[in-house]
Amino acid sequence: MDASAPNELPVPSAAALLGWYDRHRRSMPWRALPGEAPDPYRVWLSEVMLQQTTVAAVAPRFERFVARFPTVHALAAAPEADVMQEWAGLGYYARARNLHACARAVVAAGGFPRDLVGLRTLPGVGDYTAAAVASIAFGVPAVPVDGNVERVAARVFAIDAPLPGGRRAIDRAAMRLGEDAAARARPADFTQALFDLGATICTPRSPACALCPWRGACAGLRAGAPERLPVRAARRVRPVRHGAAFWLEDAGGRVLLRRRPARGLLGGMLELPGTAWGDQVGPEAAPQPAEWALAGQAVHGFTHFELRLDVYVGRVAEVAAEGVLVAADALDGAGLPTAMMRCVFVARRFIGR
C-alpha cells in the first residue's frame, strides 16, 4: 500500500477499543486501578524499565525497585551505585544512569512536568516516554508509539513499507488513532488499551483477529495475512567481539571485582577484571600472576554485537590487584550486569559450585 493511503482509510472506533479494554484490561503493579489517580513516578519508572524488556521480566523487578526506592525523592537521594546495583540484569545500563539523573531533575523542579514539552527536557526522556507519561499520568491526548502500537497501526492501515523506513508513515497513522473524540476523552485508558491490544490480541505471530474490537476496520485483515505486518528489513549479522574475564579468588573465598568507567557500555557497573573487547586474548592480560585455567566461554548478545569472553579461573593466597573483594557466594547480589553473571556461571561450573 502507498504510504499516503492510510490517510484515506477511516479511523477505527476508539469507543469500541475502550469498551474492550474496560472488560479485559491487564493488571500490572504500575497501573492505577479504575477510579484511582495514576502515580507519575510509577508510570515513568515502568516506561523506562519496559524499554527493550518484557512485562513478565519487569513486573517482579519493578516491585523490588519501588520497595527500595518508593518515591522519586528516595530515588534522587540514593547513591548512583545503589541504583545501578538494583538495575543489574535489566540491561541497557545508560537507562539507569539517566533514571537517576532524571529523578534528581524532577525533585529539583518540584515535581514532574505535566506536558510533553516539559517532560522532553528531562534526562533520558524522549518522544515515546514523554508521550506515555503525559497521556497515562496527566491525561494529555498523545499516542506513544512502542512496538505494540506500531504493530497495531501498521495492520489497521495495512502499511507495508518496510521498517525502519516505513516508521514515519506508521507513526502518522498511530497519531490518527488518537484523534477520535472518545480517545481524547480518556487519554490514559486509550494509551493503555492500545498497549494491551498489541500485547494480547494483535500479537506478532498468530494474532487473535476474531477477538479484536477493531477487526471490522482492519485493512490488514481484509488484505489477508495481517501477521506479515509490519514488514521488517532483513537483520544484519551482528559482528563478534572477543575478550577475557578473570575469576581471581583469594584464600578466603573472595573474588576480585572492578568497576567499569562511568561512561560507556555498562558504565559504572561492577565486573570481573578483564580485557578490552576486541581481539582474542589470553591469560597474559590477567590482573596478577596466578595459575590460570580456562573455564570456558561466556556469550552475551548486545544490540549491535555479540560478545564472547574466555573465562579464566585462578587462585592466590592474597589478592594484590586493585578492586573490591566480594565473597564468591555473594556475587548474585553484587549488582553484576548479565554479561558478567554469565562469566560467573561459567567459572562456578568449572570449579564445581
Side-chain angles (χ1 to χ4, degrees), residues 61-128:
R61 296 300 303 273
F62 176 88
E63 294 190 293
R64 195 174 89 180
F65 196 96
V66 295
R68 186 169 183 179
F69 310 115
T71 65
V72 70
H73 290 82
L75 179 57
E80 184 179 88
D82 289 357
V83 178
M84 299 299 287
Q85 180 187 46
E86 195 59 49
W87 193 269
L90 286 170
Y92 299 88
Y93 293 95
R95 289 184 297 166
R97 292 192 296 272
N98 285 332
L99 190 84
H100 195 225
C102 184
R104 291 183 168 180
V106 168
V107 169
F112 282 92
R114 301 177 66 90
D115 59 11
L116 287 167
V117 173
L119 287 165
R120 286 194 191 103
T121 66
L122 296 174
V125 175
D127 290 344
Y128 166 77

Side-chain angles (χ1 to χ4, degrees), residues 13 24 26-27 40 74 81 83 92 105 109 113 132 177 196 200 234 236 270 298 319 328 333:
S13 166
H24 302 290
R26 292 180 292 172
S27 176
V83 178
Y92 299 88
L177 296 175
D196 284 8
T200 65
R236 295 179 180 177
L270 287 171
V319 173

Side-chain angles (χ1 to χ4, degrees), residues 84 91-94 97 241 260-269 271 277 300-305 307 337 339:
M84 299 299 287
Y92 299 88
Y93 293 95
R97 292 192 296 272
R241 297 184 189 175
R260 292 179 62 83
R263 293 294 172 259
L265 197 59
L266 306 184
M269 303 296 292
E271 66 173 358
W277 299 341
H300 182 72
F302 289 97
T303 304
H304 300 298
F305 68 94
L307 178 64

Side-chain angles (χ1 to χ4, degrees), residues 310-323:
D310 290 333
V311 181
Y312 292 89
V313 170
R315 292 189 176 91
V316 291
E318 184 177 353
V319 173
E322 292 184 0

Side-chain angles (χ1 to χ4, degrees), residues 15 23 45 64 94:
R23 297 187 301 273
L45 176 61
R64 195 174 89 180

Side-chain angles (χ1 to χ4, degrees), residues 90-174:
L90 286 170
Y92 299 88
Y93 293 95
R95 289 184 297 166
R97 292 192 296 272
N98 285 332
L99 190 84
H100 195 225
C102 184
R104 291 183 168 180
V106 168
V107 169
F112 282 92
R114 301 177 66 90
D115 59 11
L116 287 167
V117 173
L119 287 165
R120 286 194 191 103
T121 66
L122 296 174
V125 175
D127 290 344
Y128 166 77
T129 304
V133 175
S135 61
I136 298 172
F138 301 118
V140 175
V143 179
V145 184
D146 70 346
N148 288 315
V149 177
E150 180 180 80
R151 188 165 56 254
V152 169
R155 291 173 178 175
V156 165
F157 295 108
I159 301 171
D160 57 10
L163 298 177
R167 190 158 281 130
R168 182 171 296 180
I170 292 175
D171 286 350
R172 289 197 298 266

